[in-house]
Short mmCIF file of all heavy atoms in Angstrom, two decimals:
data_model
loop_
_atom_site.label_atom_id
_atom_site.label_comp_id
_atom_site.label_asym_id
_atom_site.label_seq_id
_atom_site.Cartn_x
_atom_site.Cartn_y
_atom_site.Cartn_z
N MET A 1 33.22 13.24 89.96
CA MET A 1 32.50 14.17 89.12
C MET A 1 33.43 15.31 88.75
O MET A 1 34.07 15.91 89.59
CB MET A 1 31.27 14.68 89.87
CG MET A 1 30.49 15.71 89.09
SD MET A 1 29.00 16.21 89.97
CE MET A 1 27.82 15.48 88.89
N PRO A 2 33.51 15.65 87.45
CA PRO A 2 34.41 16.75 87.00
C PRO A 2 33.93 18.08 87.56
O PRO A 2 32.74 18.32 87.76
CB PRO A 2 34.29 16.72 85.48
CG PRO A 2 33.47 15.55 85.12
CD PRO A 2 32.86 14.99 86.35
N VAL A 3 34.90 18.94 87.78
CA VAL A 3 34.61 20.32 88.22
C VAL A 3 34.33 21.19 86.99
O VAL A 3 35.13 21.18 86.06
CB VAL A 3 35.80 20.91 89.04
CG1 VAL A 3 35.52 22.35 89.41
CG2 VAL A 3 36.04 20.06 90.25
N ARG A 4 33.23 21.87 86.99
CA ARG A 4 32.88 22.74 85.88
C ARG A 4 33.61 24.09 86.00
O ARG A 4 33.58 24.70 87.07
CB ARG A 4 31.38 22.97 85.87
CG ARG A 4 30.90 23.76 84.69
CD ARG A 4 29.40 23.83 84.71
NE ARG A 4 28.97 24.67 83.63
CZ ARG A 4 27.77 24.66 83.14
NH1 ARG A 4 26.87 23.84 83.66
NH2 ARG A 4 27.44 25.44 82.17
N PRO A 5 34.26 24.53 84.94
CA PRO A 5 34.95 25.83 85.02
C PRO A 5 33.96 26.95 85.20
O PRO A 5 32.81 26.88 84.79
CB PRO A 5 35.65 25.94 83.65
CG PRO A 5 34.89 25.05 82.75
CD PRO A 5 34.33 23.94 83.59
N GLN A 6 34.44 28.00 85.84
CA GLN A 6 33.61 29.20 86.07
C GLN A 6 33.84 30.24 85.00
O GLN A 6 33.05 31.17 84.85
CB GLN A 6 33.87 29.78 87.44
CG GLN A 6 33.46 28.84 88.53
CD GLN A 6 33.73 29.44 89.93
OE1 GLN A 6 34.28 30.54 90.06
NE2 GLN A 6 33.36 28.70 90.94
N HIS A 7 34.94 30.14 84.27
CA HIS A 7 35.25 31.11 83.21
C HIS A 7 36.20 30.47 82.20
O HIS A 7 36.78 29.43 82.47
CB HIS A 7 35.83 32.39 83.80
CG HIS A 7 37.16 32.18 84.43
ND1 HIS A 7 37.32 31.75 85.71
CD2 HIS A 7 38.41 32.31 83.93
CE1 HIS A 7 38.59 31.66 85.98
NE2 HIS A 7 39.27 31.99 84.93
N ILE A 8 36.32 31.16 81.08
CA ILE A 8 37.26 30.73 80.03
C ILE A 8 37.96 31.96 79.49
O ILE A 8 37.37 33.04 79.40
CB ILE A 8 36.56 29.95 78.93
CG1 ILE A 8 37.57 29.38 77.96
CG2 ILE A 8 35.53 30.80 78.21
CD1 ILE A 8 37.01 28.32 77.03
N ILE A 9 39.25 31.80 79.15
CA ILE A 9 40.03 32.86 78.55
C ILE A 9 40.58 32.33 77.23
O ILE A 9 41.05 31.20 77.19
CB ILE A 9 41.17 33.29 79.51
CG1 ILE A 9 40.62 33.87 80.79
CG2 ILE A 9 42.10 34.29 78.79
CD1 ILE A 9 41.67 34.14 81.83
N ALA A 10 40.49 33.15 76.19
CA ALA A 10 41.01 32.73 74.88
C ALA A 10 41.60 33.95 74.18
O ALA A 10 41.29 35.09 74.50
CB ALA A 10 39.91 32.14 74.05
N ALA A 11 42.45 33.69 73.19
CA ALA A 11 42.98 34.71 72.31
C ALA A 11 42.49 34.39 70.91
O ALA A 11 42.45 33.22 70.52
CB ALA A 11 44.50 34.74 72.37
N SER A 12 42.11 35.43 70.15
CA SER A 12 41.52 35.18 68.86
C SER A 12 41.61 36.42 67.97
O SER A 12 41.64 37.52 68.45
CB SER A 12 40.02 34.85 69.03
OG SER A 12 39.37 34.79 67.78
N GLY A 13 41.60 36.13 66.67
CA GLY A 13 41.51 37.21 65.72
C GLY A 13 40.09 37.50 65.31
O GLY A 13 39.84 38.41 64.56
N GLY A 14 39.15 36.68 65.80
CA GLY A 14 37.74 36.97 65.48
C GLY A 14 36.82 35.77 65.57
O GLY A 14 36.08 35.61 66.51
N ASN A 15 36.84 34.91 64.55
CA ASN A 15 35.88 33.82 64.50
C ASN A 15 36.01 32.84 65.65
O ASN A 15 35.00 32.39 66.23
CB ASN A 15 35.99 33.08 63.17
CG ASN A 15 35.55 33.92 62.00
OD1 ASN A 15 34.75 34.84 62.15
ND2 ASN A 15 36.09 33.64 60.83
N HIS A 16 37.20 32.46 66.01
CA HIS A 16 37.42 31.57 67.16
C HIS A 16 36.89 32.20 68.43
O HIS A 16 36.22 31.54 69.24
CB HIS A 16 38.92 31.25 67.29
CG HIS A 16 39.26 30.53 68.55
ND1 HIS A 16 39.82 31.16 69.62
CD2 HIS A 16 39.11 29.22 68.91
CE1 HIS A 16 40.02 30.29 70.59
NE2 HIS A 16 39.59 29.10 70.19
N GLY A 17 37.12 33.47 68.60
CA GLY A 17 36.65 34.15 69.80
C GLY A 17 35.14 34.18 69.85
O GLY A 17 34.56 34.02 70.94
N ALA A 18 34.48 34.34 68.72
CA ALA A 18 33.03 34.32 68.68
C ALA A 18 32.50 32.95 69.06
O ALA A 18 31.53 32.82 69.82
CB ALA A 18 32.50 34.73 67.31
N ALA A 19 33.16 31.90 68.58
CA ALA A 19 32.74 30.54 68.90
C ALA A 19 32.92 30.25 70.39
O ALA A 19 32.04 29.65 71.05
CB ALA A 19 33.50 29.55 68.07
N VAL A 20 34.05 30.68 70.95
CA VAL A 20 34.30 30.49 72.38
C VAL A 20 33.28 31.25 73.21
O VAL A 20 32.74 30.75 74.19
CB VAL A 20 35.74 30.86 72.74
CG1 VAL A 20 35.96 30.89 74.27
CG2 VAL A 20 36.73 29.91 72.09
N ALA A 21 33.03 32.50 72.80
CA ALA A 21 32.05 33.32 73.52
C ALA A 21 30.66 32.70 73.47
O ALA A 21 29.94 32.69 74.48
CB ALA A 21 32.03 34.74 72.94
N TYR A 22 30.29 32.19 72.32
CA TYR A 22 28.97 31.54 72.18
C TYR A 22 28.87 30.33 73.08
O TYR A 22 27.88 30.12 73.78
CB TYR A 22 28.71 31.15 70.73
CG TYR A 22 27.48 30.35 70.53
CD1 TYR A 22 26.22 30.97 70.55
CD2 TYR A 22 27.53 28.97 70.37
CE1 TYR A 22 25.07 30.25 70.40
CE2 TYR A 22 26.38 28.23 70.22
CZ TYR A 22 25.14 28.86 70.22
OH TYR A 22 24.00 28.14 70.08
N ALA A 23 29.91 29.48 73.07
CA ALA A 23 29.90 28.28 73.90
C ALA A 23 29.83 28.65 75.38
O ALA A 23 29.09 28.01 76.15
CB ALA A 23 31.15 27.44 73.65
N ALA A 24 30.55 29.69 75.79
CA ALA A 24 30.50 30.12 77.19
C ALA A 24 29.09 30.59 77.55
O ALA A 24 28.58 30.27 78.63
CB ALA A 24 31.52 31.24 77.43
N GLN A 25 28.45 31.32 76.63
CA GLN A 25 27.10 31.79 76.86
C GLN A 25 26.15 30.60 77.04
O GLN A 25 25.34 30.59 77.98
CB GLN A 25 26.62 32.67 75.72
CG GLN A 25 25.25 33.23 75.90
CD GLN A 25 24.82 34.03 74.67
OE1 GLN A 25 24.79 33.48 73.57
NE2 GLN A 25 24.49 35.30 74.89
N VAL A 26 26.26 29.60 76.18
CA VAL A 26 25.39 28.44 76.28
C VAL A 26 25.62 27.70 77.58
O VAL A 26 24.66 27.22 78.20
CB VAL A 26 25.64 27.50 75.06
CG1 VAL A 26 24.99 26.14 75.25
CG2 VAL A 26 25.14 28.14 73.78
N LEU A 27 26.87 27.62 78.03
CA LEU A 27 27.21 26.92 79.26
C LEU A 27 26.98 27.73 80.52
O LEU A 27 27.06 27.22 81.61
CB LEU A 27 28.66 26.44 79.21
CG LEU A 27 28.98 25.40 78.14
CD1 LEU A 27 30.48 25.16 78.05
CD2 LEU A 27 28.25 24.08 78.42
N GLY A 28 26.71 29.02 80.33
CA GLY A 28 26.47 29.90 81.48
C GLY A 28 27.72 30.23 82.26
O GLY A 28 27.65 30.44 83.46
N ILE A 29 28.86 30.34 81.55
CA ILE A 29 30.09 30.75 82.23
C ILE A 29 30.61 32.04 81.59
O ILE A 29 30.23 32.39 80.46
CB ILE A 29 31.18 29.64 82.15
CG1 ILE A 29 31.56 29.28 80.71
CG2 ILE A 29 30.72 28.40 82.91
CD1 ILE A 29 32.68 28.27 80.60
N LYS A 30 31.49 32.74 82.29
CA LYS A 30 32.07 33.98 81.80
C LYS A 30 33.19 33.70 80.79
O LYS A 30 33.90 32.70 80.95
CB LYS A 30 32.62 34.81 82.97
CG LYS A 30 31.55 35.27 83.92
CD LYS A 30 32.14 36.08 85.04
CE LYS A 30 31.06 36.52 86.02
NZ LYS A 30 31.60 37.33 87.09
N ALA A 31 33.32 34.59 79.84
CA ALA A 31 34.40 34.46 78.85
C ALA A 31 35.11 35.80 78.73
O ALA A 31 34.50 36.85 78.75
CB ALA A 31 33.85 34.06 77.50
N LYS A 32 36.43 35.73 78.61
CA LYS A 32 37.27 36.88 78.36
C LYS A 32 38.09 36.54 77.11
O LYS A 32 38.82 35.57 77.11
CB LYS A 32 38.19 37.18 79.52
CG LYS A 32 39.00 38.46 79.36
CD LYS A 32 40.02 38.68 80.46
CE LYS A 32 39.44 38.88 81.80
NZ LYS A 32 40.45 39.22 82.82
N ILE A 33 37.91 37.34 76.04
CA ILE A 33 38.57 37.06 74.79
C ILE A 33 39.54 38.18 74.49
O ILE A 33 39.16 39.34 74.42
CB ILE A 33 37.54 36.94 73.63
CG1 ILE A 33 36.40 36.00 73.98
CG2 ILE A 33 38.27 36.52 72.35
CD1 ILE A 33 36.78 34.56 74.23
N PHE A 34 40.79 37.84 74.32
CA PHE A 34 41.86 38.80 73.97
C PHE A 34 41.98 38.84 72.46
O PHE A 34 42.12 37.78 71.81
CB PHE A 34 43.19 38.40 74.61
CG PHE A 34 43.23 38.61 76.08
CD1 PHE A 34 42.58 37.74 76.96
CD2 PHE A 34 43.93 39.67 76.62
CE1 PHE A 34 42.64 37.93 78.33
CE2 PHE A 34 43.98 39.89 77.99
CZ PHE A 34 43.32 39.01 78.86
N VAL A 35 41.93 40.02 71.89
CA VAL A 35 42.05 40.21 70.43
C VAL A 35 43.13 41.24 70.16
O VAL A 35 43.40 42.11 70.98
CB VAL A 35 40.72 40.67 69.83
CG1 VAL A 35 39.60 39.68 70.05
CG2 VAL A 35 40.30 42.04 70.36
N PRO A 36 43.76 41.15 68.97
CA PRO A 36 44.70 42.19 68.61
C PRO A 36 43.93 43.48 68.30
O PRO A 36 42.76 43.43 67.94
CB PRO A 36 45.39 41.64 67.34
CG PRO A 36 44.51 40.56 66.86
CD PRO A 36 43.69 40.05 68.01
N VAL A 37 44.60 44.60 68.44
CA VAL A 37 43.91 45.89 68.22
C VAL A 37 43.42 46.02 66.78
O VAL A 37 42.49 46.77 66.54
CB VAL A 37 44.81 47.10 68.62
CG1 VAL A 37 45.08 47.11 70.10
CG2 VAL A 37 46.08 47.11 67.82
N ALA A 38 44.00 45.28 65.85
CA ALA A 38 43.59 45.36 64.46
C ALA A 38 42.41 44.44 64.11
O ALA A 38 41.99 44.39 62.98
CB ALA A 38 44.77 45.01 63.56
N ALA A 39 41.86 43.75 65.10
CA ALA A 39 40.72 42.88 64.83
C ALA A 39 39.56 43.70 64.29
O ALA A 39 39.30 44.80 64.78
CB ALA A 39 40.32 42.13 66.09
N PRO A 40 38.86 43.18 63.32
CA PRO A 40 37.72 43.92 62.75
C PRO A 40 36.64 44.24 63.79
O PRO A 40 36.29 43.39 64.60
CB PRO A 40 37.19 42.97 61.68
CG PRO A 40 38.33 42.06 61.34
CD PRO A 40 39.08 41.91 62.63
N ALA A 41 36.10 45.43 63.69
CA ALA A 41 35.07 45.89 64.65
C ALA A 41 33.86 44.96 64.62
O ALA A 41 33.25 44.70 65.67
CB ALA A 41 34.65 47.29 64.32
N ALA A 42 33.49 44.45 63.45
CA ALA A 42 32.32 43.55 63.38
C ALA A 42 32.57 42.26 64.16
O ALA A 42 31.65 41.76 64.81
CB ALA A 42 32.01 43.22 61.91
N LYS A 43 33.78 41.75 64.11
CA LYS A 43 34.06 40.52 64.84
C LYS A 43 34.13 40.78 66.34
O LYS A 43 33.65 39.97 67.13
CB LYS A 43 35.37 39.90 64.34
CG LYS A 43 35.21 39.34 62.93
CD LYS A 43 36.41 38.60 62.45
CE LYS A 43 36.12 38.04 61.07
NZ LYS A 43 37.15 37.19 60.60
N ILE A 44 34.66 41.93 66.74
CA ILE A 44 34.67 42.30 68.16
C ILE A 44 33.25 42.46 68.66
O ILE A 44 32.90 41.99 69.75
CB ILE A 44 35.51 43.58 68.36
CG1 ILE A 44 37.00 43.31 68.10
CG2 ILE A 44 35.28 44.15 69.75
CD1 ILE A 44 37.86 44.51 68.12
N ALA A 45 32.40 43.07 67.86
CA ALA A 45 31.01 43.27 68.26
C ALA A 45 30.29 41.92 68.40
O ALA A 45 29.47 41.74 69.34
CB ALA A 45 30.28 44.14 67.24
N ARG A 46 30.58 40.98 67.52
CA ARG A 46 29.95 39.67 67.61
C ARG A 46 30.40 38.95 68.90
O ARG A 46 29.58 38.35 69.59
CB ARG A 46 30.26 38.83 66.39
CG ARG A 46 29.45 37.55 66.37
CD ARG A 46 29.52 36.84 65.06
NE ARG A 46 30.93 36.72 64.68
CZ ARG A 46 31.33 36.13 63.54
NH1 ARG A 46 30.43 35.70 62.71
NH2 ARG A 46 32.60 36.05 63.27
N ILE A 47 31.68 39.03 69.21
CA ILE A 47 32.21 38.40 70.44
C ILE A 47 31.49 39.01 71.65
O ILE A 47 31.00 38.31 72.52
CB ILE A 47 33.74 38.59 70.54
CG1 ILE A 47 34.44 37.77 69.44
CG2 ILE A 47 34.24 38.18 71.91
CD1 ILE A 47 35.91 38.12 69.30
N ALA A 48 31.45 40.34 71.71
CA ALA A 48 30.80 41.03 72.82
C ALA A 48 29.31 40.73 72.84
O ALA A 48 28.71 40.64 73.93
CB ALA A 48 31.05 42.53 72.70
N GLY A 49 28.73 40.55 71.69
CA GLY A 49 27.30 40.26 71.60
C GLY A 49 26.92 38.95 72.27
O GLY A 49 25.77 38.76 72.70
N TYR A 50 27.88 38.05 72.36
CA TYR A 50 27.63 36.76 73.06
C TYR A 50 27.91 36.90 74.55
O TYR A 50 27.85 35.91 75.27
CB TYR A 50 28.48 35.65 72.45
CG TYR A 50 28.04 35.20 71.09
CD1 TYR A 50 28.94 35.21 70.03
CD2 TYR A 50 26.72 34.79 70.87
CE1 TYR A 50 28.52 34.81 68.77
CE2 TYR A 50 26.32 34.40 69.59
CZ TYR A 50 27.21 34.39 68.57
OH TYR A 50 26.82 33.98 67.32
N GLY A 51 28.22 38.09 74.99
CA GLY A 51 28.38 38.33 76.43
C GLY A 51 29.78 38.23 76.94
O GLY A 51 30.03 38.34 78.14
N ALA A 52 30.75 38.05 76.06
CA ALA A 52 32.15 37.94 76.49
C ALA A 52 32.76 39.34 76.71
O ALA A 52 32.35 40.30 76.08
CB ALA A 52 32.99 37.20 75.44
N ARG A 53 33.70 39.37 77.59
CA ARG A 53 34.49 40.61 77.77
C ARG A 53 35.60 40.57 76.74
O ARG A 53 36.35 39.61 76.67
CB ARG A 53 35.05 40.66 79.18
CG ARG A 53 35.88 41.89 79.42
CD ARG A 53 36.30 42.03 80.89
NE ARG A 53 37.29 43.08 80.97
CZ ARG A 53 38.35 43.00 81.72
NH1 ARG A 53 38.56 41.95 82.49
NH2 ARG A 53 39.25 43.97 81.74
N VAL A 54 35.71 41.63 75.94
CA VAL A 54 36.73 41.72 74.92
C VAL A 54 37.86 42.61 75.41
O VAL A 54 37.62 43.73 75.90
CB VAL A 54 36.17 42.30 73.60
CG1 VAL A 54 37.25 42.40 72.55
CG2 VAL A 54 35.02 41.43 73.10
N VAL A 55 39.08 42.08 75.34
CA VAL A 55 40.26 42.85 75.75
C VAL A 55 41.20 42.96 74.56
O VAL A 55 41.58 41.97 73.99
CB VAL A 55 40.99 42.11 76.91
CG1 VAL A 55 42.25 42.90 77.34
CG2 VAL A 55 40.07 41.88 78.07
N LYS A 56 41.52 44.18 74.19
CA LYS A 56 42.48 44.40 73.12
C LYS A 56 43.87 44.20 73.73
O LYS A 56 44.28 44.95 74.60
CB LYS A 56 42.31 45.77 72.50
CG LYS A 56 41.01 45.86 71.74
CD LYS A 56 40.88 47.18 71.02
CE LYS A 56 39.53 47.19 70.30
NZ LYS A 56 39.33 48.44 69.59
N GLY A 57 44.56 43.17 73.25
CA GLY A 57 45.78 42.72 73.91
C GLY A 57 47.05 42.85 73.14
O GLY A 57 47.95 42.06 73.32
N GLY A 58 47.17 43.80 72.24
CA GLY A 58 48.42 43.98 71.53
C GLY A 58 48.22 44.23 70.05
O GLY A 58 47.13 44.12 69.52
N GLU A 59 49.32 44.56 69.38
CA GLU A 59 49.28 44.87 67.97
C GLU A 59 49.09 43.66 67.09
O GLU A 59 48.63 43.77 65.96
CB GLU A 59 50.58 45.61 67.56
CG GLU A 59 50.76 46.97 68.21
CD GLU A 59 49.68 47.96 67.80
OE1 GLU A 59 49.31 47.98 66.61
OE2 GLU A 59 49.22 48.68 68.67
N THR A 60 49.48 42.48 67.55
CA THR A 60 49.42 41.27 66.77
C THR A 60 48.69 40.17 67.53
O THR A 60 48.49 40.27 68.73
CB THR A 60 50.83 40.76 66.45
OG1 THR A 60 51.49 40.37 67.65
CG2 THR A 60 51.67 41.82 65.71
N TYR A 61 48.33 39.11 66.80
CA TYR A 61 47.71 37.96 67.44
C TYR A 61 48.65 37.41 68.51
O TYR A 61 48.20 37.06 69.60
CB TYR A 61 47.35 36.89 66.42
CG TYR A 61 46.89 35.64 67.09
CD1 TYR A 61 45.63 35.52 67.62
CD2 TYR A 61 47.76 34.56 67.23
CE1 TYR A 61 45.21 34.38 68.28
CE2 TYR A 61 47.38 33.41 67.88
CZ TYR A 61 46.09 33.33 68.40
OH TYR A 61 45.70 32.18 69.03
N ALA A 62 49.94 37.30 68.20
CA ALA A 62 50.90 36.73 69.16
C ALA A 62 50.92 37.55 70.46
O ALA A 62 51.00 36.97 71.54
CB ALA A 62 52.30 36.67 68.52
N LYS A 63 50.82 38.85 70.34
CA LYS A 63 50.80 39.67 71.56
C LYS A 63 49.50 39.55 72.32
O LYS A 63 49.48 39.56 73.55
CB LYS A 63 51.09 41.14 71.23
CG LYS A 63 52.54 41.33 70.80
CD LYS A 63 52.90 42.77 70.57
CE LYS A 63 54.37 42.84 70.20
NZ LYS A 63 54.82 44.22 70.00
N ALA A 64 48.40 39.37 71.61
CA ALA A 64 47.11 39.11 72.25
C ALA A 64 47.16 37.79 73.00
O ALA A 64 46.68 37.68 74.13
CB ALA A 64 45.97 39.13 71.25
N LEU A 65 47.75 36.78 72.40
CA LEU A 65 47.91 35.48 73.04
C LEU A 65 48.77 35.62 74.27
O LEU A 65 48.42 35.09 75.33
CB LEU A 65 48.52 34.47 72.07
CG LEU A 65 48.80 33.08 72.61
CD1 LEU A 65 47.54 32.42 73.10
CD2 LEU A 65 49.50 32.24 71.56
N ALA A 66 49.88 36.35 74.18
CA ALA A 66 50.74 36.53 75.36
C ALA A 66 50.01 37.25 76.47
O ALA A 66 50.11 36.89 77.65
CB ALA A 66 52.00 37.33 74.97
N ALA A 67 49.20 38.26 76.11
CA ALA A 67 48.43 38.98 77.13
C ALA A 67 47.40 38.09 77.79
O ALA A 67 47.13 38.18 79.00
CB ALA A 67 47.72 40.18 76.50
N SER A 68 46.81 37.17 77.02
CA SER A 68 45.83 36.25 77.59
C SER A 68 46.46 35.33 78.62
O SER A 68 45.78 34.91 79.57
CB SER A 68 45.14 35.44 76.48
OG SER A 68 46.00 34.41 76.00
N ARG A 69 47.69 35.00 78.43
CA ARG A 69 48.38 34.12 79.38
C ARG A 69 48.70 34.82 80.69
O ARG A 69 48.84 34.18 81.71
CB ARG A 69 49.64 33.57 78.74
CG ARG A 69 49.32 32.62 77.63
CD ARG A 69 50.52 32.08 76.95
NE ARG A 69 50.15 31.07 75.95
CZ ARG A 69 50.94 30.68 74.98
NH1 ARG A 69 52.14 31.21 74.87
NH2 ARG A 69 50.52 29.79 74.14
N LEU A 70 48.79 36.14 80.66
CA LEU A 70 49.02 36.91 81.87
C LEU A 70 47.73 37.19 82.63
O LEU A 70 47.75 37.50 83.79
CB LEU A 70 49.68 38.25 81.51
CG LEU A 70 51.03 38.17 80.84
CD1 LEU A 70 51.49 39.57 80.45
CD2 LEU A 70 52.05 37.51 81.74
N ARG A 71 46.62 37.11 81.88
CA ARG A 71 45.25 37.37 82.36
C ARG A 71 45.14 38.74 82.92
O ARG A 71 44.48 39.18 83.68
CB ARG A 71 44.79 36.33 83.37
CG ARG A 71 44.86 34.95 82.83
CD ARG A 71 44.25 34.09 83.82
NE ARG A 71 44.85 32.80 83.84
CZ ARG A 71 44.25 31.76 84.32
NH1 ARG A 71 43.07 31.87 84.84
NH2 ARG A 71 44.80 30.60 84.34
#
């Protein structure tokens, strides 16, 4: 039997993060989404609205991705 993850970490500029956060909410697991500081406030609010923890992880998407790998 597969082991179910307890959390998920992703990096996103917005829409992907919202989708990951929504899926985590449906599955009942925690999500931490790293976004660049320039991510639109509406997209950050939508990610947070699905219950994910939003972490601003750098000036660019690449830096947010790198920060997500460090957790």
